[in-house]
Amino acid sequence: MSTIAYLVSDYHAPSHTFVRREVDGLRSLGETVRPFSVRGNNRMGEEPVSIILKEPLTRFAAAILWNLARHPLRAMQTWVRALSHRPPGWRGLVWSQFHFVEAMVLSRMLVECEATVLHSHFANSGATVAMLAAKLADIPWSMTLHGISETDYPAGLLLPDKIGNAAFVASASRFMLAQAMRITQPYCWDRLAIVRCGIDLSAMPPRRDHGAMVDRALYIVCVGRLSPEKGYSVLIEAVARLTHKGHRVTVDIVGDGPGRDDVEMAIREAGLPDAIRLLGAMPEARTLETIAGADIMVLPSFMEGLPVVVMEAMAIGVPVIASRVAGIPELIEDEVTGLTVTPTDDSALASAIERLAADEDLRRKIVAAGKERVFAEHSIAETAYRMKALFDKVRAR
């Protein structure tokens, strides 16, 4: 039985829930999947994974000697590859050596578990380690692209080379497929494929009905990392506009990140500490329950991929308002499966919230269409089936 290896920067991170679902989906199709993580921790009650940076130094030394003894020419070729696949400057040079050593440790793990293909999510430094480890282990590798940040420097500088060396590249959206095509030659395009992120539709909680909105405050939920690209300042300004017009609004933001202090300051400066709460990062089940209790989900991002939380909200039956960026319009068709607004426009966002809160027929219509779209295109079973088909083609070659 062949083994598919999966590498993620932090396998147990809350934001990587969709990767764990994909692994479970492949296993349900009879595949043997072995996950690996560059960093992170094994947590109680979760599947234990091999974590490269948690390995003892003796394991690193043994892996280096093992690779040199097993195939010295291939080890030298991979080292040269690591030197060339990096951004310019001394920092890039130093990190390329770290990636090479990490790849040596991973390559030995791949051989030990008899992996026949290695897959990596996100075109980041973890994908660099995957590419080098696959070369050392002499197996094909592949990756999945998710969002526009993967085209930013330094990842974007190295992305054409990664695509050119991958057996296949899955894109979570047509937007990212277009970005991959934009930076590569046409001969690479036959290795590009669309594989939507999937969710476990059976795990979605029922929506909680709080009654007519005229009798209480409008309850909005926003889920995402607390960082500048998520556009929380626009949401805060939109809520301030609604409050000044006399609307009662309560907002819960689920997530954490380096921008927490800035978001808290923006909330205080807008005079909204009683209206907007930061709940921090929460386990998946609690996050879904929080979404299920919302009247509206809002995603005011400046950049995105194809957000899984939007799929989850639509599957639960919560209407969504999101920025018209990247892959979002592929999921949210304006006034059909949700509402989209111009990013950075707090006035447009406030108007969209006000309109959706007042129009019950519109809410009912987009909820029904949103559920239909998600159930048709974003089940984890469909994602796993498409990934298995791609792996089968690689193994056949």
Side-chain angles (χ1 to χ4, degrees):
M1 175 68 70
S2 64
T3 298
I4 301 171
Y6 261 59
L7 178 68
V8 186
S9 56
D10 183 355
Y11 187 73
H12 290 306
S15 58
H16 292 164
T17 299
F18 66 92
V19 179
R20 298 189 291 273
R21 289 178 186 149
E22 188 172 297
V23 168
D24 290 340
L26 285 166
R27 287 170 174 165
S28 71
L29 295 175
E31 294 288 353
T32 300
V33 185
R34 174 76 182 274
F36 295 90
S37 188
V38 175
R39 60 181 182 273
N41 295 289
N42 284 315
R43 299 167 186 162
M44 187 74 69
E46 294 181 313
E47 176 185 8
V49 300
S50 298
I51 303 171
I52 297 172
L53 294 181
K54 292 289 185 178
E55 293 292 320
L57 291 178
T58 52
R59 176 76 159 161
F60 278 81
I64 293 170
L65 293 173
W66 179 83
N67 273 285
L68 291 173
R70 178 173 178 261
H71 206 304
L73 179 59
R74 187 183 298 151
M76 181 60 67
Q77 291 171 336
T78 307
W79 178 66
V80 172
R81 185 101 181 90
L83 287 174
S84 64
H85 188 81
R86 64 176 180 87
W90 67 267
R91 187 184 298 272
L93 176 63
V94 170
W95 277 105
S96 73
Q97 301 311 290
F98 287 140
H99 295 154
F100 176 63
V101 173
E102 291 168 14
M104 282 195 152
V105 175
L106 177 59
S107 69
R108 187 171 187 184
M109 294 175 176
L110 295 173
V111 172
E112 289 172 346
C113 75
E114 299 182 340
T116 54
V117 63
L118 171 62
H119 188 75
S120 177
H121 274 270
F122 303 101
N124 52 18
S125 58
T128 299
V129 174
M131 183 182 70
L132 297 175
K135 184 171 179 62
L136 286 166
D138 195 25
I139 62 173
W141 82 286
S142 54
M143 66 177 173
T144 297
L145 299 177
H146 290 274
I148 192 64
S149 62
E150 291 163 282
T151 66
D152 288 347
Y153 185 87
L157 176 68
L158 307 177
L159 184 55
D161 192 31
K162 283 187 172 73
I163 294 173
N165 282 274
F168 71 82
V169 176
S171 295
S173 66
R174 288 202 172 274
F175 174 81
M176 281 310 297
L177 177 68
Q179 303 315 302
M181 295 175 73
R182 176 176 64 88
I183 60 175
T184 56
Q185 295 298 317
Y187 71 82
C188 292
W189 294 354
D190 63 352
R191 71 191 65 181
L192 305 177
I194 293 286
V195 181
R196 307 285 191 187
C197 288
I199 61 176
D200 183 358
L201 298 170
S202 65
M204 297 299 106
R207 189 180 179 196
R208 297 199 305 276
D209 187 359
H210 298 295
M213 293 185 192
V214 294
D215 300 327
R216 57 178 173 79
L218 175 68
Y219 179 37
I220 296 172
V221 166
C222 183
V223 181
R225 178 176 167 81
L226 298 185
S227 51
E229 74 274 8
K230 295 300 183 181
Y232 290 114
S233 59
V234 178
L235 174 60
I236 292 166
E237 289 300 319
V239 173
R241 284 177 177 273
L242 293 170
T243 301
H244 292 157
K245 291 179 69 173
H247 297 290
R248 292 184 298 156
V249 181
T250 299
V251 180
D252 278 342
I253 298 176
V254 179
D256 214 335
R260 185 183 183 97
D261 291 344
D262 293 334
V263 175
E264 288 178 337
M265 181 181 298
I267 292 170
R268 288 195 301 270
E269 290 178 349
L272 298 171
D274 296 328
I276 303 178
R277 300 187 301 175
L278 301 183
L279 302 185
M282 299 194 304
E284 179 187 4
R286 282 187 59 198
T287 299
L288 292 176
E289 288 291 343
T290 303
I291 294 172
D295 295 312
I296 301 171
M297 169 178 273
V298 173
L299 215 68
S301 303
F302 301 149
M303 58 184 288
E304 277 290 351
L306 195 63
V308 173
V309 292
V310 171
M311 302 172 200
E312 292 169 336
M314 293 168 71
I316 291 169
V318 176
V320 180
I321 302 171
S323 298
R324 198 180 300 110
V325 295
I328 287 179
E330 298 174 38
L331 183 60
I332 303 181
E333 186 178 351
D334 192 36
E335 301 201 23
V336 177
T337 58
L339 296 184
T340 59
V341 295
T342 303
T344 76
D345 192 340
D346 56 274
S347 176
L349 179 57
S351 296
I353 292 171
E354 191 172 29
R355 178 188 175 196
L356 199 55
D359 193 335
E360 184 177 353
D361 289 339
L362 177 61
R363 293 198 306 273
R364 188 179 297 113
K365 183 186 79 169
I366 65 176
V367 162
K371 277 190 173 183
E372 184 177 351
R373 176 72 57 86
V374 171
F375 274 66
E377 298 182 5
H378 295 281
S379 73
I380 190 58
E382 179 65 17
T383 298
Y385 176 80
R386 290 181 179 272
M387 288 300 296
K388 177 178 169 54
L390 292 170
F391 288 129
D392 286 342
K393 286 184 180 179
V394 172
R395 289 179 294 204
R397 292 198 296 265

